[in-house]
Amino acid sequence: MRLVRWTPDDLVRRLDDVVAVYGEAMNYRADLLEARRGYIATHVRRPGFRAVASLTSEGHLAGFGYGYLGTPGQWWHDQVHRALTAGARQRWLADCFEVVELHVRPPAQGHRLGTRQLTALLRMAPGSTTLLSTPEADEQRSRAWRLYRRFGFVDVLRHFHFPGDERPFGILGRDLPLT
């Protein structure tokens, strides 16, 4: 398995694979995935965009991650902004790299690909803080939650609901740079 940095063009070129990995990892319905395709394609043009991919020796996509600098007017940023206090907004959103997606195909999970992807992504991330959202889960049993806690992510918001999604999410953050 090799980890590579992706340009915006690399991600768009492999968009079908990216959406497939995303769907497998999140267990989302096909209709929701079609909507995500459009969002992902527009994210590559955001300021501070960074992406990584885990590729098998045959070039198949086993996992990926990407993010960008959050700014007012972006849907996720604005949802979180509204839920935070003024002090928390200044602390977390003033110069924030948002980890938008970080996924590994289920058969490839448990081999530290997520760790390698998150390390690489955060090492090249601009900004002084980073935030991400993840579905609420048992922190001891969830691989994602254990990964984020190992990286020093702390609770920013818990049991947060995004419009259109019935699941609660945790909003987690940490300072940058990654040391």
Coordinates of all heavy atoms in Angstrom, one line a residue, residues 65-125:
G65 N -8.5 10.9 2.0 CA -8.8 12.0 2.9 C -8.6 13.3 2.3 O -7.7 13.4 1.5
Y66 N -9.4 14.3 2.7 CA -9.2 15.6 2.2 C -9.8 16.7 3.1 O -10.6 16.3 3.9 CB -9.6 15.8 0.7 CG -11.1 15.9 0.5 CD1 -11.8 17.2 0.6 CD2 -11.9 14.8 0.1 CE1 -13.1 17.3 0.5 CE2 -13.3 15.0 -0.1 CZ -13.9 16.2 0.1 OH -15.2 16.3 -0.1
G67 N -9.3 17.9 2.9 CA -9.9 19.0 3.7 C -9.5 20.3 3.0 O -8.8 20.3 2.0
Y68 N -9.9 21.4 3.7 CA -9.6 22.7 3.2 C -9.8 23.7 4.3 O -10.3 23.4 5.4 CB -10.4 23.1 1.9 CG -11.9 22.7 2.1 CD1 -12.8 23.5 2.9 CD2 -12.5 21.6 1.5 CE1 -14.1 23.2 3.0 CE2 -13.8 21.3 1.6 CZ -14.6 22.1 2.4 OH -15.9 21.8 2.5
L69 N -9.5 25.0 4.0 CA -9.7 26.0 5.0 C -11.2 26.4 5.0 O -11.8 26.6 4.0 CB -8.9 27.3 4.6 CG -7.4 27.1 4.9 CD1 -6.6 28.3 4.2 CD2 -7.0 27.0 6.3
G70 N -11.7 26.4 6.2 CA -13.1 26.7 6.4 C -13.3 28.2 6.4 O -12.5 29.0 7.0
T71 N -14.3 28.7 5.7 CA -14.6 30.1 5.6 C -16.1 30.3 5.7 O -16.9 29.5 5.3 CB -14.1 30.7 4.3 OG1 -14.7 30.1 3.2 CG2 -12.6 30.6 4.2
P72 N -16.5 31.5 6.1 CA -18.0 31.8 6.2 C -18.6 31.7 4.8 O -17.9 31.9 3.8 CB -18.0 33.3 6.6 CG -16.7 33.5 7.4 CD -15.7 32.6 6.7
G73 N -19.8 31.2 4.8 CA -20.5 30.9 3.5 C -20.4 29.5 3.1 O -21.2 29.1 2.2
Q74 N -19.5 28.7 3.7 CA -19.5 27.2 3.4 C -20.5 26.6 4.4 O -20.6 26.9 5.5 CB -18.1 26.7 3.6 CG -17.1 27.2 2.7 CD -15.6 26.9 3.1 OE1 -15.4 26.3 4.2 NE2 -14.7 27.2 2.3
W75 N -21.3 25.6 3.8 CA -22.4 25.0 4.6 C -21.9 24.5 5.9 O -22.5 24.8 7.0 CB -23.0 24.0 3.7 CG -24.3 23.4 4.4 CD1 -25.5 23.9 4.4 CD2 -24.3 22.2 5.2 NE1 -26.4 23.1 5.1 CE2 -25.6 22.0 5.6 CE3 -23.3 21.2 5.6 CZ2 -26.0 20.9 6.4 CZ3 -23.7 20.2 6.4 CH2 -25.1 20.0 6.8
W76 N -20.9 23.6 6.0 CA -20.5 23.0 7.2 C -20.0 24.0 8.2 O -20.4 24.0 9.4 CB -19.4 21.9 6.9 CG -19.1 21.0 8.0 CD1 -19.6 19.8 8.3 CD2 -18.1 21.3 9.1 NE1 -19.0 19.3 9.5 CE2 -18.1 20.2 9.9 CE3 -17.2 22.3 9.4 CZ2 -17.2 20.1 11.0 CZ3 -16.4 22.3 10.5 CH2 -16.4 21.2 11.3
H77 N -19.2 24.9 7.7 CA -18.6 26.0 8.6 C -19.8 26.8 9.2 O -19.7 27.0 10.4 CB -17.7 26.9 7.7 CG -17.2 28.0 8.5 ND1 -17.9 29.2 8.7 CD2 -16.0 28.2 9.0 CE1 -17.1 30.1 9.3 NE2 -16.0 29.5 9.6
D78 N -20.7 27.1 8.4 CA -21.8 28.0 8.9 C -22.7 27.2 9.9 O -23.2 27.8 10.9 CB -22.7 28.5 7.8 CG -21.9 29.6 6.9 OD1 -20.8 30.0 7.3 OD2 -22.5 29.9 5.9
Q79 N -22.9 25.9 9.7 CA -23.7 25.1 10.7 C -23.0 25.1 12.0 O -23.6 25.3 13.1 CB -23.9 23.7 10.2 CG -24.7 23.6 8.9 CD -26.1 24.2 9.0 OE1 -26.8 24.0 9.9 NE2 -26.4 25.0 8.0
V80 N -21.7 24.8 12.0 CA -20.9 24.7 13.2 C -20.8 26.1 13.9 O -21.0 26.3 15.1 CB -19.6 24.1 13.0 CG1 -18.7 24.1 14.2 CG2 -19.7 22.6 12.5
H81 N -20.6 27.1 13.1 CA -20.5 28.5 13.6 C -21.7 28.9 14.4 O -21.6 29.5 15.5 CB -20.3 29.5 12.4 CG -20.1 30.9 12.8 ND1 -21.2 31.7 12.9 CD2 -19.0 31.6 13.0 CE1 -20.7 32.9 13.2 NE2 -19.4 32.9 13.3
R82 N -22.9 28.6 13.9 CA -24.1 29.0 14.6 C -24.2 28.3 16.0 O -24.9 28.8 16.9 CB -25.3 28.6 13.7 CG -25.6 29.6 12.6 CD -27.0 29.4 12.0 NE -27.1 28.5 10.9 CZ -26.6 28.8 9.7 NH1 -26.1 29.9 9.5 NH2 -26.8 27.9 8.7
A83 N -23.7 27.1 16.1 CA -23.8 26.3 17.3 C -22.8 26.7 18.4 O -23.0 26.3 19.6 CB -23.7 24.8 17.0
L84 N -21.7 27.4 18.0 CA -20.7 27.7 19.0 C -20.9 29.0 19.7 O -21.5 29.9 19.1 CB -19.3 27.7 18.3 CG -18.8 26.4 17.7 CD1 -17.5 26.6 16.9 CD2 -18.6 25.4 18.8
T85 N -20.3 29.2 20.8 CA -20.3 30.5 21.5 C -19.3 31.4 20.8 O -18.4 30.9 20.0 CB -19.8 30.3 23.0 OG1 -18.5 29.9 23.0 CG2 -20.7 29.4 23.7
A86 N -19.3 32.7 21.1 CA -18.4 33.6 20.4 C -17.0 33.2 20.7 O -16.1 33.3 19.8 CB -18.7 35.0 20.9
G87 N -16.7 32.9 21.9 CA -15.3 32.5 22.3 C -14.8 31.2 21.6 O -13.7 31.1 21.1
A88 N -15.7 30.2 21.5 CA -15.4 29.0 20.7 C -15.2 29.3 19.2 O -14.4 28.6 18.6 CB -16.5 27.9 21.0
R89 N -16.0 30.2 18.7 CA -15.9 30.5 17.3 C -14.5 31.1 17.0 O -13.8 30.7 16.1 CB -16.9 31.6 16.9 CG -18.3 31.1 16.8 CD -19.2 32.2 16.5 NE -20.6 31.8 16.5 CZ -21.6 32.6 16.9 NH1 -21.4 33.8 17.2 NH2 -22.8 32.1 17.0
Q90 N -14.0 32.0 17.9 CA -12.7 32.6 17.7 C -11.6 31.5 17.9 O -10.7 31.5 17.1 CB -12.5 33.7 18.7 CG -11.2 34.4 18.6 CD -11.0 35.1 17.2 OE1 -11.9 35.6 16.6 NE2 -9.8 35.0 16.7
R91 N -11.8 30.7 18.9 CA -10.8 29.6 19.2 C -10.7 28.6 18.0 O -9.6 28.3 17.6 CB -11.2 28.9 20.5 CG -10.6 27.5 20.7 CD -9.2 27.7 21.3 NE -8.6 26.4 21.6 CZ -7.8 25.7 20.9 NH1 -7.4 26.2 19.7 NH2 -7.3 24.5 21.3
W92 N -11.8 28.1 17.5 CA -11.8 27.0 16.6 C -12.0 27.4 15.1 O -11.5 26.7 14.2 CB -12.9 26.0 16.9 CG -12.6 25.3 18.2 CD1 -13.2 25.5 19.4 CD2 -11.5 24.4 18.5 NE1 -12.6 24.7 20.4 CE2 -11.6 24.0 19.8 CE3 -10.5 23.8 17.7 CZ2 -10.7 23.1 20.4 CZ3 -9.6 22.9 18.2 CH2 -9.7 22.6 19.6
L93 N -12.6 28.5 14.8 CA -13.0 28.7 13.4 C -12.2 29.8 12.7 O -12.2 30.0 11.5 CB -14.5 29.0 13.2 CG -15.4 27.9 13.5 CD1 -16.9 28.4 13.5 CD2 -15.2 26.7 12.6
A94 N -11.4 30.6 13.5 CA -10.7 31.8 12.9 C -9.7 31.4 11.9 O -9.5 32.2 10.9 CB -10.1 32.6 14.1
D95 N -9.0 30.3 12.0 CA -8.0 29.9 11.1 C -8.0 28.4 11.0 O -7.1 27.7 11.5 CB -6.6 30.4 11.5 CG -5.5 30.1 10.5 OD1 -5.8 30.0 9.3 OD2 -4.4 30.0 11.0
C96 N -9.1 27.8 10.5 CA -9.4 26.4 10.7 C -9.3 25.6 9.4 O -9.9 25.9 8.4 CB -10.8 26.2 11.2 SG -11.3 24.5 11.4
F97 N -8.5 24.5 9.4 CA -8.5 23.5 8.4 C -9.5 22.4 8.7 O -9.5 21.8 9.8 CB -7.1 22.8 8.3 CG -7.0 21.8 7.2 CD1 -6.8 22.1 5.9 CD2 -7.1 20.4 7.5 CE1 -6.8 21.2 4.9 CE2 -7.0 19.5 6.5 CZ -6.8 19.8 5.2
E98 N -10.5 22.3 7.9 CA -11.6 21.3 8.1 C -11.2 20.0 7.4 O -11.0 19.9 6.2 CB -12.9 21.8 7.5 CG -13.4 23.0 8.2 CD -14.7 23.6 7.6 OE1 -15.3 23.0 6.7 OE2 -15.0 24.7 7.9
V99 N -11.1 18.9 8.2 CA -11.0 17.6 7.7 C -12.4 17.2 7.2 O -13.2 16.9 8.0 CB -10.4 16.6 8.7 CG1 -10.4 15.2 8.1 CG2 -9.0 17.0 9.2
V100 N -12.6 17.2 5.9 CA -13.9 17.0 5.3 C -14.3 15.6 5.2 O -15.3 15.1 5.6 CB -14.0 17.8 4.0 CG1 -15.4 17.5 3.4 CG2 -13.7 19.2 4.1
E101 N -13.3 14.8 4.7 CA -13.6 13.3 4.5 C -12.3 12.6 4.8 O -11.2 13.1 4.5 CB -14.0 13.0 3.1 CG -15.2 13.7 2.6 CD -16.5 13.4 3.3 OE1 -16.5 12.4 4.1 OE2 -17.5 14.1 3.0
L102 N -12.4 11.5 5.5 CA -11.3 10.6 5.8 C -11.9 9.2 5.9 O -12.7 8.9 6.8 CB -10.6 10.9 7.1 CG -9.4 10.1 7.4 CD1 -8.2 10.5 6.6 CD2 -9.0 10.2 8.9
H103 N -11.7 8.4 4.9 CA -12.3 7.1 4.8 C -11.4 6.0 4.3 O -10.5 6.2 3.5 CB -13.5 7.1 3.8 CG -14.5 8.1 4.2 ND1 -15.3 8.0 5.3 CD2 -14.8 9.3 3.6 CE1 -16.1 9.1 5.4 NE2 -15.8 9.9 4.4
V104 N -11.6 4.8 4.8 CA -10.9 3.6 4.3 C -11.9 2.5 4.0 O -12.9 2.3 4.8 CB -9.9 3.1 5.4 CG1 -9.3 1.8 5.0 CG2 -8.9 4.1 5.7
R105 N -11.8 1.8 2.9 CA -12.7 0.7 2.6 C -12.7 -0.3 3.8 O -11.7 -0.6 4.3 CB -12.2 -0.1 1.4 CG -12.5 0.6 0.1 CD -12.1 -0.3 -1.1 NE -12.1 0.4 -2.3 CZ -13.2 0.6 -3.1 NH1 -14.3 0.1 -2.8 NH2 -13.0 1.3 -4.2
P106 N -13.9 -0.8 4.1 CA -14.0 -1.7 5.3 C -13.0 -2.9 5.2 O -12.4 -3.2 6.2 CB -15.5 -2.1 5.3 CG -16.2 -0.9 4.7 CD -15.2 -0.4 3.7
P107 N -12.8 -3.5 4.1 CA -11.8 -4.7 4.1 C -10.4 -4.2 4.4 O -9.6 -5.0 4.8 CB -11.9 -5.3 2.7 CG -13.2 -4.8 2.1 CD -13.5 -3.4 2.8
A108 N -10.1 -3.0 4.2 CA -8.7 -2.4 4.4 C -8.6 -1.8 5.8 O -7.5 -1.4 6.1 CB -8.4 -1.4 3.3
Q109 N -9.6 -1.7 6.5 CA -9.5 -1.1 7.8 C -8.8 -2.0 8.8 O -8.7 -3.2 8.6 CB -10.9 -0.8 8.4 CG -11.7 0.3 7.6 CD -13.1 0.5 8.1 OE1 -13.6 -0.2 9.0 NE2 -13.8 1.4 7.4
G110 N -8.2 -1.4 9.8 CA -7.4 -2.2 10.8 C -6.0 -2.4 10.4 O -5.3 -3.1 11.1
H111 N -5.5 -1.7 9.4 CA -4.1 -1.8 9.0 C -3.4 -0.4 9.0 O -2.4 -0.2 8.3 CB -4.0 -2.4 7.6 CG -4.7 -3.7 7.4 ND1 -4.1 -4.9 7.9 CD2 -5.9 -4.1 7.0 CE1 -4.9 -5.9 7.7 NE2 -6.0 -5.4 7.1
R112 N -3.9 0.5 9.8 CA -3.3 1.8 10.1 C -3.4 2.7 8.9 O -2.6 3.7 8.9 CB -1.9 1.6 10.7 CG -2.0 0.8 12.0 CD -0.7 0.8 12.8 NE -0.3 2.1 13.2 CZ -0.7 2.8 14.2 NH1 -1.6 2.4 15.0 NH2 -0.1 4.0 14.5
L113 N -4.2 2.4 7.9 CA -4.3 3.3 6.7 C -4.9 4.7 7.2 O -4.4 5.7 6.7 CB -5.1 2.7 5.6 CG -4.6 1.5 4.9 CD1 -5.5 1.1 3.8 CD2 -3.2 1.8 4.4
G114 N -5.9 4.7 8.0 CA -6.5 5.9 8.5 C -5.5 6.7 9.2 O -5.4 7.9 9.1
T115 N -4.7 6.1 10.1 CA -3.6 6.8 10.8 C -2.6 7.5 9.8 O -2.3 8.6 10.0 CB -2.9 5.8 11.7 OG1 -3.8 5.3 12.7 CG2 -1.7 6.5 12.4
R116 N -2.2 6.7 8.8 CA -1.2 7.3 7.9 C -1.9 8.4 7.1 O -1.2 9.4 6.8 CB -0.8 6.2 6.9 CG 0.1 5.2 7.7 CD 0.6 4.0 6.8 NE 1.3 4.5 5.6 CZ 1.2 3.9 4.4 NH1 0.5 2.8 4.2 NH2 1.9 4.4 3.4
Q117 N -3.1 8.2 6.7 CA -3.8 9.3 5.9 C -4.0 10.6 6.7 O -3.7 11.7 6.3 CB -5.2 8.8 5.4 CG -5.1 7.8 4.3 CD -6.4 7.2 3.9 OE1 -6.5 6.4 3.0 NE2 -7.5 7.5 4.6
L118 N -4.4 10.4 8.0 CA -4.7 11.6 8.8 C -3.4 12.3 9.2 O -3.3 13.5 9.1 CB -5.4 11.2 10.1 CG -5.9 12.3 11.0 CD1 -6.8 13.3 10.2 CD2 -6.6 11.8 12.2
T119 N -2.3 11.5 9.4 CA -1.0 12.1 9.7 C -0.6 12.9 8.5 O -0.2 14.1 8.7 CB 0.0 11.0 10.0 OG1 -0.4 10.3 11.1 CG2 1.4 11.6 10.2
A120 N -0.6 12.4 7.3 CA -0.1 13.1 6.1 C -1.0 14.4 5.9 O -0.5 15.4 5.6 CB -0.2 12.2 4.9
L121 N -2.3 14.2 6.0 CA -3.2 15.3 5.8 C -2.9 16.5 6.8 O -2.8 17.6 6.4 CB -4.6 14.8 5.9 CG -5.7 15.7 5.3 CD1 -5.5 16.0 3.8 CD2 -7.1 15.1 5.5
L122 N -2.8 16.1 8.0 CA -2.6 17.2 9.0 C -1.2 17.8 8.9 O -1.0 19.0 9.3 CB -2.9 16.7 10.4 CG -4.3 16.3 10.7 CD1 -4.5 15.8 12.2 CD2 -5.3 17.4 10.4
R123 N -0.2 17.1 8.5 CA 1.1 17.6 8.4 C 1.2 18.7 7.3 O 2.0 19.6 7.3 CB 2.1 16.5 8.1 CG 2.5 15.8 9.4 CD 3.7 14.9 9.3 NE 4.0 14.4 10.6 CZ 4.5 13.2 10.8 NH1 4.7 12.4 9.7 NH2 4.8 12.7 12.0
M124 N 0.3 18.5 6.3 CA 0.4 19.5 5.2 C -0.8 20.5 5.2 O -0.9 21.4 4.4 CB 0.4 18.8 3.8 CG -0.8 18.0 3.5 SD -0.5 17.1 1.9 CE -1.9 16.0 1.9
A125 N -1.5 20.5 6.3 CA -2.7 21.3 6.5 C -2.3 22.8 6.8 O -1.5 23.0 7.7 CB -3.6 20.8 7.6

